[in-house]
């Protein structure tokens, strides 16, 4: 459990509890003080492939972050993050979206470019930003 004291009158407040760990000792789930749950899925190299926020243990209904380290169908994972997919659900009148951030690297494994494509729920995909890096 992780606790902190709000003030002397209110005592301690639980910031996180109910931790669950995998065989390697990495935290795979925990409950926050607001009752929400964070869960993490790891690949065989202990790289996170999904981090999610949910209303129950292992749920992904509030936020989901998926990570890829190798190209589809290939075993070319050199540790570089190739993409991050951010899934935000529709909540009330706030429309959800899916944002895919892709990362490119040069021959020295330095970040070369990053691009984000956003698809609003029920909408069309569009590039929201792109950043290019150069080294001298």
């Amino acid at each position: 459990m992780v606790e902190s004291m709000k003030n002397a009158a209110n005592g301690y407040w639980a910031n996180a509890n109910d931790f669950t760990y995998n065989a390697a000792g990495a935290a795979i789930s925990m409950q926050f003080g607001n009752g929400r749950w964070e869960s993490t899925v790891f690949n065989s190299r202990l790289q996170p492939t999904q981090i999610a926020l949910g209303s129950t243990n292992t749920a992904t209904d509030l936020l989901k972050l998926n990570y890829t380290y190798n190209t589809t169908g290939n075993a070319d994972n050199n540790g570089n993050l190739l993409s991050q997919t951010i899934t935000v659900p529709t909540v009330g009148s706030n429309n959800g979206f899916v944002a895919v951030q892709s990362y490119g690297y040069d021959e020295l494994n330095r970040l070369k470019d990053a691009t984000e494509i956003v698809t609003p729920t029920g909408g069309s995909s569009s590039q929201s930003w792109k950043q290019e890096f150069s080294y001298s």
Side-chain angles (χ1 to χ4, degrees), residues 84 100-104 113-117 127-132:
Q84 171 181 236
V100 178
Q101 298 173 348
S102 301
Y103 308 100
D113 56 63
T115 306
E116 180 179 80
I117 306 293
Q127 181 176 306
S128 61
W129 57 263
K130 181 173 184 169
Q131 179 95 33
E132 294 183 351

Side-chain angles (χ1 to χ4, degrees), residues 14-19 29-38 55:
N15 294 311
N17 58 17
D18 292 329
F19 289 84
S29 70
M30 70 180 91
Q31 185 176 29
F32 294 122
N34 64 1
R36 305 295 189 211
W37 288 84
E38 178 185 291
S55 53

Side-chain angles (χ1 to χ4, degrees), residues 14-136:
N15 294 311
N17 58 17
D18 292 329
F19 289 84
T20 307
Y21 301 91
N22 66 12
I28 56 173
S29 70
M30 70 180 91
Q31 185 176 29
F32 294 122
N34 64 1
R36 305 295 189 211
W37 288 84
E38 178 185 291
S39 61
T40 305
V41 176
F42 295 92
N43 64 16
S44 61
R45 295 180 65 177
L46 294 178
Q47 297 166 310
T49 57
Q50 183 181 85
I51 300 174
L53 182 66
S55 53
T56 62
N57 191 4
T58 69
T60 63
D61 58 329
L62 300 174
L63 176 67
K64 184 169 53 172
L65 308 171
N66 287 327
Y67 305 97
T68 58
Y69 302 93
N70 56 291
T71 54
T72 304
N74 294 311
D76 57 357
N77 181 349
N78 68 356
N80 288 341
L81 180 63
L82 296 183
S83 69
Q84 171 181 236
T85 302
I86 304 163
T87 305
V88 177
T90 297
V91 177
S93 62
N94 297 316
N95 282 336
F97 63 89
V98 174
V100 178
Q101 298 173 348
S102 301
Y103 308 100
Y105 300 88
D106 68 13
E107 58 280 348
L108 298 176
N109 286 318
R110 298 177 297 191
L111 186 61
K112 182 173 64 175
D113 56 63
T115 306
E116 180 179 80
I117 306 293
V118 175
T119 307
T121 300
S124 299
S125 299
S126 64
Q127 181 176 306
S128 61
W129 57 263
K130 181 173 184 169
Q131 179 95 33
E132 294 183 351
F133 303 91
S134 62
Y135 304 91
S136 40

